[in-house]
Each structure stands twice: as structure tokens, then as C-alpha cells.
Amino acid sequence: MGGEQRSGCIACMGVTTEQIEELDFSSASEEDRRGLYEVVAAWVVEDSPGKKRPSYEACIARWELHDDLGFEPPRFVVAREAGKIIGYGEVRISEAEANAHLATANVVVLPAHRRRGIGTALLHAMLSLVNGRTVIEAWSVFGDSPGEQFAAARGFRVVSTMTRQRLALSDPPEVGELPAGYELVTWKGAAPEEFVEAYVEALNGIRDAPRGETTLDLTRNTVESIRREEADAVPVRWIVLLLHEGQAAGVTVVELDPAVSTVAEQLHTVVLPAHRGRGFGRLIKAYMLHNLKGVETIYTRTSSENEHMLRVNHSLGYEDTFIYMGVQAKTADLQA
Ligand SMILES: CC(C)(COP(=O)(O)OP(=O)(O)OC[C@H]1O[C@@H](n2cnc3c(N)ncnc32)[C@H](O)[C@@H]1OP(=O)(O)O)[C@@H](O)C(=O)NCCC(=O)NCCS
């Protein structure tokens, strides 16, 4: 099936009852939204270590918004049987120049419909949604799962191994003393004008964090790109910025779950090279924990190679919950 195909039967797989077609999420019927939700919920119950069914609202909110890496709300292809959605493929692209080569993707098929070529047909149909992106990465592949086998069979290679961690937030830990010359600034939502440049510089310091062989580039933020992201539909963010004599020294970012106000995601944390080795990574994260009014559970993800950040997180009370992988393929290889 070629990348230009938008709808059709999976006749080439010897199955003619399923239909693959694009689905515009913003205008999708309630029934189709429910259908997508049932597919993702079945997967979460099957594969995620907590096996806890996500809420409908949480899934819908994620599909309506930019993700926490600045990628647009997803475009979908769906597989139907007798009109009912039995699998979907989702593709996100980013407007940021740094990631103009990249699409992120995911494919999910209801367990009862697997090993009939539907996942493969969805993957091929998704290629029409990547809008010229030359690399495709998928970031939700659990070890020893059908997803891992499928990704390998379809020519994806593992580029990163990630550790998922969770913190039940009760009493936030002590922050510790800030040495002379340092200052912490914190805000929620859009960056104040006077700090936005230091914020950008601190974020771009993520360049030397261990991230495997992903092509995802998080190091080319600009004031304009930050303002664009803030104007997009994104969940609420808290920022803690560490300044040294008015200059950027470090940053940490936490995002509130768009559907569950007691849950948050700890995103990027950076201490710039000149300020490393002095415990600032832990300090800014501990300080952040005092800001998160109403939050009871925080999740984070870190490269499994990033021993330092994993150790900092453990010292704050985070527990490892599971390992997952990022996989990558060239679009051209998938079209072949
Ligand atoms: C991954 C997933 C989408 C595959 O869907 P599917 O419809 O079963 O995929 P296909 O039938 O097209 O499988 C294509 C090939 O992948 C491999 N494969 C898929 N599932 C496999 C499994 N459980 N064990 C071994 N190989 C498997 C096989 O080589 C298969 O070809 P074959 O059946 O001719 O041997 C499905 O298992 C799923 O929804 N898993 C949960 C979601 C997930 O992990 N997504 C991440 C994927 S990037």
C-alpha cells in the first residue's frame, strides 16, 4: 500500500472486512472518539505495568492538544470493521524548524484483531500523514510486548531506552541553601518578558543530556518558538529558573495533566555546564515540588543511561515503574 492511499480495503492481506481511512479528530463523531478511546484503553490495560484504565477525558484531552515536546495534535488513520474502530495509527508533526524532519507515530490494534495485517496496513496508511517528514519515531514501545515485535518486523530500530518514574507527593523535600550569587525565579504559564531569554538559554542546555540516537532536537528554542508554543493549545506549565548573577544557570519544567488536576508530568531539567556538580539539579526539582499545589502524583521519564538524573529523582522519592523504548525508521524505508 503506498503513502498516497487514503482509504481502502485491506484486500492485499487477504482480509476484506476492514476498512482503513483517515479520521479528522476535530470533527469526529462522539462514537468515533469513543471508538479510539476503547482501543487505547484496551492497550493501556494490556501493556502498561499499572494496567489501570485511563479516563476518557484524559485521552481526549491529549489528542486535542500539542504534546509536551511541541508536536501538533495528532492526525489519525483508523481501521474499521462493520463501521466500528478496531485500530488506529496516529502521527504528530512539529512546526519547529529543529524537528522539521521528524514525525512521531503510534499504532494500536484491538487484541482480538491482531496478526491479520491491520497494524501493517495502518502503518502504511499513516505515511500519507507525515507531510514530508523523513524520519519516524515511536516512543511507546514496551519491552517484551507485541509492539516491540511489530516494530522490529516493520524495520524500526531501537534508538533509546527510557525509565518511567512516579512520585507520590506528600511532604515536599527540603530545598537546601542557595549559594551566594544564585537566585530562583518561578512562574506558571507564559514566561515573564524579563526572564524569557534566560529561560530559552537554559532549555537549550539539554543538548548534552544522554538521549540515545533519537533525532528529536530540543535544543533550538528561541524566544519566538517559546511564544508560539505558549500561544498553542498546551496544558498549564510551571517553571523554576535558576539564575546566577542574572544569567541562566538551570531550569526545570512541570506540566499539569490536562484532564486530571492532581497529576503532573515532570519534563525537562537542565543545569548549564558551568554550574554542574553542586547539587542544583536536585535543588531546583525539590523547589519545584513546593510549587505544585493540588498535585498528588508526578510522572517523569529519563533516559535509562542518565544515571545522574535517575539518582536525583530517586533522592526526591521517585520510584521506577517501567522501561520503554523509542524506535526509529526512515520514511523512505517504510514506503519501500
Ligand atoms: C503492535 C500492533 C499494532 C501490531 O498490530 P497487528 O495488526 O497485530 O500487526 P500485523 O498483523 O500487521 O503484524 C505484522 C508483523 O509484526 C510482527 N508481530 C506483530 N505482533 C507480533 C507478536 N505478538 N509476536 C511476534 N511478532 C509479532 C510479525 O512479524 C507480524 O507479521 P506476521 O503476523 O506475518 O508474522 C499490536 O500488537 C498492538 O496494538 N500492540 C499494542 C500497541 C503497541 O505496542 N504499539 C506500539 C507499536 S509502534
Side-chain angles (χ1 to χ4, degrees):
M1 205 184 293
E4 73 289 347
Q5 181 148 351
R6 301 215 156 201
S7 171
C9 287
I10 318 171
C12 54
M13 307 293 162
V15 182
T16 51
T17 47
E18 293 96 357
Q19 190 82 19
I20 303 277
E21 62 188 21
E22 269 185 47
L23 178 73
D24 174 20
F25 187 76
S26 60
S27 61
S29 66
E30 177 66 14
E31 193 184 350
D32 279 349
R33 288 174 172 231
R34 286 266 163 204
L36 287 174
Y37 165 68
E38 290 303 330
V39 176
V40 74
W43 173 37
V44 172
V45 171
E46 166 197 6
D47 261 353
S48 77
K51 301 202 185 301
K52 193 164 165 265
R53 198 173 157 89
S55 76
Y56 175 68
E57 292 71 26
C59 294
I60 297 297
R62 262 181 225 111
W63 283 327
E64 280 175 332
L65 298 174
H66 282 65
D67 71 11
D68 53 33
L69 302 173
F71 282 64
E72 291 175 4
R75 300 152 191 223
F76 286 92
V77 289
V78 294
R80 296 181 190 273
E81 188 175 65
K84 177 178 172 271
I85 293 177
I86 56 169
Y88 71 81
E90 60 177 316
V91 174
R92 289 184 188 253
I93 57 174
S94 165
E95 282 304 306
E97 205 187 315
N99 289 309
H101 63 287
L102 182 62
T104 62
N106 196 20
V107 191
V108 189
V109 176
L110 280 177
H113 298 272
R114 295 197 184 149
R115 301 304 290 271
R116 289 158 58 184
I118 298 171
T120 303
L122 284 166
L123 178 63
H124 287 163
M126 285 159 69
L127 300 179
S128 66
L129 305 180
V130 302
N131 222 0
R133 274 45 182 180
T134 54
V135 179
I136 299 182
E137 295 190 0
W139 282 88
S140 302
V141 181
F142 296 100
D144 296 325
S145 73
E148 182 181 19
Q149 307 274 359
F150 172 78
R154 295 285 70 103
F156 285 82
R157 68 185 185 103
V158 176
V159 288
S160 191
T161 303
M162 305 289 292
T163 301
R164 187 85 173 136
Q165 297 178 305
R166 183 169 62 91
L167 172 67
L169 186 59
S170 45
D171 292 329
E174 295 270 313
V175 175
E177 282 289 303
L178 206 55
Y182 286 91
E183 175 193 0
L184 289 167
V185 180
T186 183
W187 67 84
K188 190 176 176 182
E193 201 52 43
E194 61 181 306
F195 299 122
V196 69
E197 281 181 21
Y199 175 46
V200 165
E201 191 188 336
L203 285 177
N204 289 342
I206 198 104
R207 62 178 59 83
D208 51 359
R211 294 183 316 123
E213 293 172 67
T214 176
T215 64
L216 179 68
D217 187 346
L218 299 176
T219 68
R220 285 197 268 159
N221 297 286
T222 60
V223 172
E224 295 70 39
S225 73
I226 291 295
R227 292 301 186 215
R228 217 172 24 245
E229 275 183 25
E230 289 170 349
D232 287 333
V234 287
V236 173
R237 286 184 176 185
W238 287 273
I239 316 295
V240 170
L241 180 67
L242 177 68
L243 296 173
H244 179 248
E245 291 170 0
Q247 305 295 308
V251 70
T252 190
V253 183
V254 166
E255 185 171 284
L256 188 64
D257 187 294
V260 191
S261 63
T262 54
V263 173
E265 180 82 22
Q266 164 73 66
L267 302 175
H268 334 290
T269 300
V270 177
V271 176
L272 293 178
H275 308 278
R276 290 187 186 155
R278 303 179 65 180
F280 287 133
R282 186 181 189 283
L283 186 143
I284 56 179
K285 285 185 130 175
Y287 188 78
M288 172 65 90
L289 296 177
H290 291 261
N291 284 346
L292 307 178
K293 301 282 174 285
V295 172
E296 293 168 9
T297 309
I298 308 175
Y299 293 93
T300 193
R301 70 244 176 179
T302 303
S303 163
S304 304
E305 295 161 40
N306 196 341
E307 285 172 29
H308 180 63
M309 189 50 77
L310 291 171
R311 199 172 48 245
V312 165
N313 290 345
H314 290 148
S315 81
L316 293 168
Y318 281 89
E319 290 175 358
D320 298 355
T321 56
F322 59 88
I323 303 287
Y324 67 99
M325 288 167 279
V327 300
Q328 180 194 88
K330 291 191 181 131
T331 308
D333 292 345
L334 297 175
Q335 278 159 340

